[in-house]
């Protein structure tokens, strides 16, 4: 059997969303294993479904199918665990990799239960981001595993659910995994483009984007016959489509040392530093004006928030930035941040006065 090393670069995990039957799993596994890049075979055995009545996984008996798939392909296998019983059963069947699903990472009780069940084992655990964009829950789950003495830990970015309908099933909110990578530079970060995109057409671009952000691997759902899959049919790809994706994506290097470009990069970075310095000065000066405005509003008992004026400020800048390379989303988000900080400063001034 191939050895599982979650720290190896280009960690590709692939397999069906769910293990549906012995035939479906073994067929999928065999076809997927033709792709030599695939390092781990995945399949969900216990499926957390939003509504009752759907296929909730084949349960413990499917662990035996995973074991067969491992013997057939020589690939390590992985599944999702959400309770102590899941962990015990999975370890009993020698499942090589366990992952904590997004609906579990949100719940510290469940994460602790899993951590306690794993104490004293040599298990490999990947932690998916929580379903809501809460970095601290993700951090907390890592800390719980570490406290339980689990050393082989990695992260999976699968996007965040939102009420608004967007092009993604789960909005990637890349800034959150980027921050997670900064906090835990030693943990491998795997992208799950299947659950981010929600449709097979989107998997390539999300995968490539993650590799451009220096991710260490991908977890892609692949099924021998996706159209009849019992879960997540729209986002699963055939093993052949998986091959195409793996052949097309481009792995980039994060090392900037030594290359001919290193000098030019240094010059550009120095320019960026200078602009950042100017930005801080400019923002500070702008907030100085906010301070004066806060004082004036305080003296004259005016509300800090002047909605109409804020609307005008935003519209004016959005209009002005139309001809620039900045996206409207960025400009709006930036101005909103600026406005909140300006309100904070105005409030402080007001409080000092009263
Ligand atoms: C899955 O990987 O099939 C799954 C249920 O994922 P998530 O926890 O990201 O929803
Ligand atoms: Mn799925």
């Amino acid at each position: 059997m191939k050895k599982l090393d979650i720290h190896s670069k280009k960690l590709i995990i692939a397999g069906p969303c769910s293990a549906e039957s012995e035939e479906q799993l073994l067929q999928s596994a065999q076809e997927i294993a033709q792709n030599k890049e695939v390092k781990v075979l995945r399949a969900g055995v216990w499926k957390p479904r939003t509504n009752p009545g759907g296929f909730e996984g084949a349960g413990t008996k499917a662990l035996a199918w995973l074991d067969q798939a491992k013997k057939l392909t020589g690939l390590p296998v992985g599944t999702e665990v959400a309770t102590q019983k899941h962990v015990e059963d999975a370890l009993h069947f020698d499942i090589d990799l366990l992952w904590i699903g997004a609906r579990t990472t949100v719940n510290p009780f469940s994460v602790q239960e899993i951590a306690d069940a794993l104490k004293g084992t040599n298990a490999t655990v990947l932690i998916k981001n929580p379903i809501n964009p809460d970095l601290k829950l993700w951090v907390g789950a890592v800390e719980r595993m570490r406290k339980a003495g689990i050393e082989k830990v990695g992260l999976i970015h699968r996007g965040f659910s939102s009420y608004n309908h967007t092009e993604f099933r789960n909005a990637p909110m890349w800034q959150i995994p980027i921050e997670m990578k900064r906090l835990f530079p030693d943990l491998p970060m795997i992208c799950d483009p299947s659950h981010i995109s929600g449709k097979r057409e989107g998997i390539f671009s999300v995968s490539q984007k993650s590799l451009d952000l220096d991710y260490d691997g991908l977890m892609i759902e692949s099924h021998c016959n996706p159209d009849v899959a019992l879960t997540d049919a729209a986002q699963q790809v055939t093993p052949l489509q998986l091959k195409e994706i793996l052949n097309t994506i481009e792995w980039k290097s994060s090392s900037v040392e030594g290359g001919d470009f290193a000098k030019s990069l240094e010059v550009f970075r120095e320019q960026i530093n200078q602009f950042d310095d100017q930005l801080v000065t400019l923002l500070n000066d702008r907030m100085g004006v906010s301070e004066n405005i806060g004082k004036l509003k305080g003296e004259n008992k005016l509300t800090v928030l002047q909605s109409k004026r804020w609307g005008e400020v935003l519209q004016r800048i959005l209009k002005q930035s139309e001809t620039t390379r900045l996206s409207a989303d960025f400009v709006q988000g930036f101005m909103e941040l600026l406005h909140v900080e300006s309100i904070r400063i105005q409030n402080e001034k007001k409080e000092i006065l009263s």
Side-chain angles (χ1 to χ4, degrees):
M1 199 193 76
K2 282 193 194 155
K3 223 176 105 46
L4 171 61
D5 175 11
I6 54 166
H7 287 281
S8 69
K9 261 282 184 195
K10 306 187 185 179
L11 180 67
I12 305 288
I13 304 169
C17 177
S18 304
E20 300 169 5
S21 68
E22 190 178 332
E23 298 69 38
Q24 169 260 5
L25 183 64
L26 295 185
Q27 181 72 28
S28 300
Q30 249 177 327
E31 292 180 22
I32 288 165
Q34 307 285 318
N35 293 303
K36 292 300 163 217
E37 293 94 332
V38 174
K39 305 280 170 29
V40 183
L41 190 71
R42 67 149 277 161
V45 161
W46 299 283
K47 298 303 299 179
R49 306 307 300 280
T50 304
N51 302 109
F55 177 65
E56 298 197 314
T60 307
K61 69 171 183 289
L63 294 172
W65 309 338
L66 265 173
D67 191 47
Q68 275 176 267
K70 167 157 51 172
K71 291 189 176 117
L72 193 68
T73 60
L75 288 175
V77 292
T79 201
E80 173 177 343
V81 289
T83 66
Q84 175 186 349
K85 171 88 167 64
H86 294 170
V87 171
E88 286 166 1
D89 286 359
L91 294 180
H92 177 75
F93 277 89
D94 222 9
I95 302 298
D96 308 278
L97 175 151
L98 310 178
W99 79 84
I100 299 178
R103 290 162 193 77
T104 306
T105 310
V106 287
N107 185 343
F109 288 132
S110 302
V111 175
Q112 192 57 50
E113 180 180 324
I114 294 170
D116 289 342
L118 286 167
K119 251 186 208 142
T121 71
N122 191 28
T124 300
V125 184
L126 300 183
I127 306 170
K128 285 201 174 196
N129 67 255
I131 216 150
N132 54 330
D134 187 335
L135 179 78
K136 288 194 175 134
L137 280 171
W138 206 3
V139 170
V142 172
E143 287 171 348
R144 284 176 199 279
M145 290 305 133
R146 289 201 160 157
K147 276 195 153 168
I150 309 302
E151 280 168 11
K152 293 187 260 172
V153 175
L155 303 166
I156 303 178
H157 171 219
R158 54 78 78 195
F160 302 88
S161 77
S162 69
Y163 186 61
N164 294 336
H165 196 74
T166 66
E167 63 170 305
F168 300 105
R169 177 178 175 197
N170 291 294
M173 302 190 186
W174 297 100
Q175 69 277 23
I176 296 176
I178 288 173
E179 178 61 2
M180 205 61 188
K181 272 164 70 66
R182 191 182 71 81
L183 294 174
F184 297 104
D186 298 331
L187 298 190
M189 177 67 81
I190 313 295
C191 182
D192 172 347
S194 309
H195 289 89
I196 290 178
S197 170
K199 48 187 190 298
R200 55 185 72 100
E201 301 74 30
I203 289 173
F204 169 77
S205 67
V206 174
S207 302
Q208 187 60 58
K209 168 109 189 192
S210 75
L211 300 190
D212 292 347
L213 293 175
D214 196 25
Y215 278 39
D216 304 289
L218 299 168
M219 181 194 251
I220 300 180
E221 288 189 338
S222 179
H223 186 294
C224 58
N225 192 358
D227 290 335
V228 299
L230 298 181
T231 56
D232 289 350
Q235 71 192 32
Q236 301 206 58
V237 293
T238 63
L240 209 61
Q241 287 166 330
L242 174 68
K243 190 186 181 75
E244 251 174 60
I245 292 169
L246 296 179
N247 283 343
T248 320
I249 50 171
E250 219 183 314
W251 293 84
K252 314 269 173 76
S253 160
S254 63
S255 160
V256 292
E257 267 105 61
D260 294 342
F261 54 84
K263 271 244 145 6
S264 315
L265 193 62
E266 214 172 291
V267 172
F268 288 142
R269 285 180 165 176
E270 187 44 40
Q271 288 174 356
I272 291 281
N273 286 349
Q274 282 176 17
F275 278 120
D276 284 350
D277 292 349
Q278 288 177 32
L279 268 175
V280 170
T281 307
L282 212 57
L283 288 172
N284 186 46
D285 290 350
R286 189 187 190 278
M287 292 304 166
V289 179
S290 295
E291 226 169 65
N292 291 335
I293 291 179
K295 225 185 292 178
L296 205 62
K297 284 178 181 167
E299 283 160 3
N300 292 285
K301 301 209 175 313
L302 292 167
T303 55
V304 164
L305 176 64
Q306 300 275 323
S307 258
K308 189 163 164 284
R309 164 67 182 156
W310 160 234
E312 287 161 5
V313 167
L314 183 61
Q315 281 318 315
R316 205 180 74 81
I317 290 298
L318 281 171
K319 180 99 198 89
Q320 207 193 322
S321 56
E322 264 172 16
T323 50
T324 68
R325 50 172 71 81
L326 307 174
S327 75
D329 273 356
F330 167 75
V331 172
Q332 172 137 1
F334 179 74
M335 289 306 291
E336 281 170 1
L337 271 180
L338 211 60
H339 187 226
V340 168
E341 178 67 357
S342 166
I343 286 175
R344 184 189 68 79
I345 285 174
Q346 290 185 46
N347 264 329
E348 250 175 29
K349 269 291 145 197
K350 236 178 92 180
E351 272 155 30
I352 291 167
L353 279 169
S354 55

